[in-house]
């Protein structure tokens, strides 16, 4: 049985060794994470700071991310965002 990855799932796998793929994931996930942060903290400046911190953590911790699908990546990033919001708000 062949497992066919979607294009976004392929990005998640490639991002382990390809910075351009990680950049594409960033472009895809940044807007919803930023909107989530704004909704949670109701302050644009704080939401921008938190979102930046989230993506710094993603960049530093990606090598330890064990998922293979975009849904797993999304869930992981939103968990980081939630933890960062809870620590700062």
């Amino acid at each position: 049985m062949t497992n066919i990855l979607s294009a976004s799932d392929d990005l998640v796998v490639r991002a382990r060794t390809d910075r351009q793929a990680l950049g594409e994931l960033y472009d895809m996930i940044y807007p919803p994470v930023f909107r989530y942060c704004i909704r949670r903290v109701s302050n644009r400046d704080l939401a921008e700071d938190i979102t930046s911190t989230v993506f710094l953590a993603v960049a530093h911790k990606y090598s330890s991310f064990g998922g293979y699908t975009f849904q797993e990546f999304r869930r992981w990033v939103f968990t980081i965002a939630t933890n960062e919001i809870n620590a700062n708000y």
Side-chain angles (χ1 to χ4, degrees):
M1 186 159 120
T2 304
N3 183 13
I4 299 174
L5 296 175
S6 73
S8 356
D9 293 346
D10 181 56
L11 279 175
V12 171
V13 173
R14 284 188 11 232
R16 286 175 172 52
T17 58
D18 180 353
R19 286 184 182 209
Q20 184 177 349
L22 187 57
E24 289 179 47
L25 285 173
Y26 170 87
D27 290 342
M28 292 170 67
I29 197 83
Y30 183 92
V33 170
F34 181 62
R35 285 190 304 269
Y36 172 70
C37 290
I38 285 179
R39 277 195 314 272
R40 286 286 311 272
V41 301
S42 301
N43 179 301
R44 185 175 187 86
D45 291 336
L46 182 57
E48 287 172 350
D49 290 345
I50 291 170
T51 304
S52 294
T53 302
V54 167
F55 284 100
L56 283 172
V58 167
H60 287 131
K61 297 177 182 179
Y62 198 80
S63 63
S64 66
F65 170 63
Y68 293 94
T69 68
F70 183 75
Q71 284 303 95
E72 292 169 317
F73 173 72
R74 188 180 198 292
R75 194 174 314 120
W76 180 66
V77 173
F78 273 90
T79 298
I80 293 170
T82 300
N83 291 339
E84 193 61 34
I85 290 166
N86 291 340
N88 287 286
Y89 189 65

